[in-house]
Amino acid sequence: MLEVRQLGLDGVLEIVPKRHGDERGFFIETWNAERFAEAGIDLRFVQDNHSYSAAAGVVRGLHYQLPPRAQDKLLRVIRGKILDVAVDIRRGSKSFGKWVALEVSAEKGNQILVPKGFAHGFITLVPDTEVLYKVTDTYSPAHDRSIRFDDAAIGIEWPTVSGGFQLSDKDLKAPLLAAAEVFP
């Protein structure tokens, strides 16, 4: 059984699988193609990714791949907590440049589905955070793109963390949305 909730931008969803627990611990079915299809989510995932961040304040993103190698992403946290962000980068969309955020944590057991046409990123809220995510296409360097995480035109409200933000060189050099190659 899945609880599925719209997050305010078309196709961006919070998914909370049913947690079965007792004094020993718990069991969660995080992906079941049949059950997800019954909930209207019919995707074929081809690659799993695992991200570890040692410190709070690690920002990863905003990342996406252009067509024909665009990716849907289903993300969950297995240790720690993040604020996950999706930005609509479909130039013809009424919500182009708008964003939504969701706190995703191991404790909550929730997931976020970020569809094609959205840039994706997150910030770790606690140290030693591990994120797992499934994608519907494999990584393609030729189609890989990014947008600056602090673009004022988007206006994402990133939380402040002690020690400040930690970003890769790639993410620090990412273009602003106005200069980025995005979806038509």
Side-chain angles (χ1 to χ4, degrees), residues 63-146:
H63 302 149
Y64 58 99
Q65 285 189 180
L66 291 172
R69 302 298 300 275
Q71 299 173 319
D72 300 285
K73 296 177 181 179
L74 179 63
L75 180 140
R76 65 191 176 102
V77 174
I78 60 168
R79 181 168 57 158
K81 179 170 44 172
I82 64 171
L83 182 70
D84 196 272
V85 175
V87 179
D88 188 343
I89 56 167
R90 301 167 298 167
R91 200 167 294 283
S93 168
K94 292 178 184 173
S95 57
F96 177 75
K98 303 269 190 247
W99 61 276
V100 292
L102 176 68
E103 187 177 285
V104 182
S105 70
E107 181 181 338
K108 289 181 183 176
N110 61 337
Q111 302 179 83
I112 186 168
L113 178 68
V114 180
K116 296 172 183 160
F118 288 80
H120 170 258
F122 63 82
I123 183 171
T124 58
L125 300 175
V126 297
D128 295 318
T129 294
E130 292 188 68
V131 174
L132 298 179
Y133 59 102
K134 301 177 147 336
V135 292
T136 56
D137 202 342
T138 56
Y139 175 68
S140 173
H143 298 87
D144 184 39
R145 300 292 186 275
S146 58

Side-chain angles (χ1 to χ4, degrees), residues 5-18:
R5 182 173 68 94
Q6 294 279 344
L7 293 178
L9 291 179
D10 187 34
V12 182
L13 306 172
E14 178 181 25
I15 300 165
V16 184
K18 183 171 176 75

Side-chain angles (χ1 to χ4, degrees), residues 54-60 161-168 171:
V58 171
V59 176
R60 298 184 187 268
V161 292
S162 64
F165 299 129
Q166 296 179 36
L167 290 99
S168 69
D171 290 342

